[in-house]
Amino acid sequence: MQGDSELKEIISTVTSKGQVTIPAEVREYLGIKTHDKIAFVIDQDGGVRLRVPQYPHISSLSGAAGRLRQPLSWRQMQRIAYEDRFAAKNESNS
């Protein structure tokens, strides 16, 4: 890693919606492409780093979406998916 005297600062602006454009040079350095996920890591000293989460294999995703109190049955999952799809369809028609 580079020393403090060699740090490069690249400025970006936060929009009114809280969005930030990641400058091209930073995207290229991190290998970020459209639709990639990024992680903001807050260090113990209060610094914030940007990194690309690495999921080398499917088992490394375990727990990434949280946990349910109890497993759902297939029928329960189908009902939730149907309700979500119904709600999204009604939202787009309004």
Side-chain angles (χ1 to χ4, degrees):
M1 187 98 182
Q2 298 175 337
D4 286 339
S5 63
E6 300 175 26
L7 290 178
K8 184 172 189 176
E9 185 175 274
I10 301 171
I11 306 294
S12 189
T13 302
V14 179
T15 69
S16 61
K17 293 183 178 184
Q19 299 172 337
V20 176
T21 298
I22 301 170
E25 185 175 354
V26 176
R27 291 192 314 268
E28 289 169 11
Y29 180 80
L30 292 172
I32 297 172
K33 296 176 182 61
T34 303
H35 303 296
D36 280 355
K37 302 287 184 199
I38 58 171
F40 296 90
V41 181
I42 301 173
D43 295 328
Q44 288 181 349
D45 65 358
V48 178
R49 293 181 297 119
L50 180 69
R51 72 175 183 84
V52 179
Q54 299 297 315
Y55 302 107
H57 42 77
I58 195 70
S59 63
S60 67
L61 293 170
S62 177
R67 293 182 177 245
L68 298 172
R69 283 180 228 142
Q70 302 180 351
L72 297 175
S73 70
W74 180 248
R75 227 179 251 300
Q76 290 171 310
M77 288 188 278
Q78 283 180 313
R79 181 179 46 79
I80 292 168
Y82 174 80
E83 290 169 357
D84 288 350
R85 188 173 56 224
F86 182 78
K89 185 176 181 181
N90 284 337
E91 239 177 55
S92 66
N93 287 337
S94 347

